[in-house]
Amino acid sequence: MTMIVRNLQLVRDRITTACVAAGRDPASVRLLAVSKTFGADAVIDAMSDGQRAFGENYIQEGVEKILAVRAWEADGLRSPSFRASEWHCIGPIQSNKTRLVAEHFDWVQSVDRLKIAQRLSEQRPPHLPPLQICLQVNIDGGPTKSGVAPQEALALAAEVAGLPGLQLRGLMSIPEPAPDFIASCAVHQKAADLFDHINRAGTLPQPMDTLSMGMTADLEAAIHAGSTMVRVGTAIFGGR
C-alpha cells in the first residue's frame, strides 16, 4: 500500500466519522483530491484506489497533468474518448486563461465574476458536456480571499445559470482559518445558509446541489454545517 492510498483511506475514515457525528449519510459528501504541485504519477496512484475527482489551482500545470492522465487512461483502455478522471479548477482565473479552462476542465469552482463565466460559456467546446460551475463566495469577507460578496451571490447565480454551455451546481468557499471547531462551524454555516437562501429564491432553472467547503484542517466542521464536497490536498498527498 502506498502512502497516498493509505492517506486516502484515512481521509475517507475522517469523512465517515464526521458524517456519522452530524447524522448524515457518508455518501452525501464527495472527496475532491487537491493535486496541485504533485505530478501525474501521484494522481494515477490515487486513481488506483478509486479516487476520480481532482482539484487544480494552477491552470497551466493542471492542463498538463490532465493531458498526461487522460493519455494514460486512453492507453490503458485503447479508447481516446475515455474520461474517467474528473478535473476541477479551484484557483483564480484570469481572462487570458479561460479558454484553457473551458477546453480541459470538467468543473470550475472559482467563478466570482460574470465576465469570467461569460468567457467560459463562449469558449466551452460544443462537443463537451456543460462545464459544471460553483460560485466562489467570500463568505467571511477575508481581505486576502477571492469570491463574490454574499449579498451579490444571488444575482450572479441567476446570470450564470442562464449561460449556455454551463451548468450552475453550487457554491464554494475558503474562509479564513477559525480558532476552534465551534467558530469554524459558524462560518461554514453562513455559506450553508446562503446556499439555502439562493435555492429558496426561486430564480434558478434548477436548484443547486453542491456546497464545496472544508479542507484538510476543517473538513469536520464543514461537514457538520452541510458541506457536500470537501477539498483535501495535504492530508492525501503530503506537504508542499
Side-chain angles (χ1 to χ4, degrees):
M1 181 185 297
T2 68
M3 179 199 73
I4 289 174
V5 169
R6 182 171 61 251
N7 288 345
L8 270 171
Q9 294 177 3
L10 291 172
V11 170
R12 290 171 184 146
D13 287 345
R14 285 179 63 186
I15 292 171
T16 296
T17 300
C19 285
V20 170
R24 298 180 57 192
D25 181 354
S28 67
V29 179
R30 294 187 67 197
L31 172 60
L32 181 68
V34 179
S35 47
K36 67 176 182 180
T37 77
F38 290 91
D41 288 348
V43 170
I44 291 169
D45 194 359
M47 290 181 70
S48 73
D49 195 48
Q51 181 64 30
R52 291 292 179 266
F54 297 91
E56 291 287 327
N57 290 64
Y58 309 121
I59 293 167
Q60 189 63 51
E61 175 197 327
V63 169
E64 292 171 2
K65 203 175 305 179
I66 290 168
L67 293 174
V69 171
R70 286 188 173 151
W72 171 80
E73 292 173 327
D75 182 64
L77 291 170
R78 301 293 185 264
S79 171
S81 63
F82 180 71
R83 296 163 71 97
S85 55
E86 178 183 284
W87 295 89
H88 296 233
C89 178
I90 58 175
I93 305 174
Q94 297 177 332
S95 295
N96 64 348
K97 295 294 179 64
T98 54
R99 184 173 297 278
L100 281 174
V101 174
E103 291 178 348
H104 295 283
F105 283 86
D106 304 296
W107 284 64
V108 181
Q109 297 200 22
S110 48
V111 171
D112 59 2
R113 289 172 289 155
L114 181 59
K115 176 184 176 181
I116 295 298
Q118 290 171 329
R119 290 179 65 87
L120 292 171
S121 171
E122 293 165 0
Q123 295 168 349
R124 182 65 168 175
H127 69 279
L128 293 180
L131 193 58
Q132 309 298 293
I133 301 294
C134 288
L135 303 182
Q136 183 173 351
V137 180
N138 188 354
I139 197 65
D140 59 349
T144 64
K145 301 294 184 181
S146 300
V148 62
Q151 63 271 23
E152 298 172 1
L154 175 59
L156 181 59
E159 291 177 303
V160 171
L163 293 173
L166 307 182
Q167 182 176 358
L168 179 65
R169 295 294 297 273
L171 304 181
M172 184 268 266
S173 66
I174 313 174
E176 297 287 344
D180 52 48
F181 180 79
I182 293 175
S184 185
C185 287
V187 71
H188 286 308
Q189 188 62 51
K190 291 181 180 180
D193 290 344
L194 178 62
F195 178 86
D196 291 340
H197 169 69
I198 294 173
N199 272 340
R200 289 195 305 267
T203 58
L204 303 180
Q206 60 188 43
M208 301 184 297
D209 62 8
T210 301
L211 184 54
S212 174
M213 57 186 190
M215 299 185 289
T216 294
D218 63 346
L219 70 84
E220 287 85 1
I223 288 172
H224 181 84
S227 174
T228 68
M229 182 182 292
V230 293
R231 308 178 307 273
V232 179
T234 301
I236 296 173
F237 296 104
R240 294 177 170 83

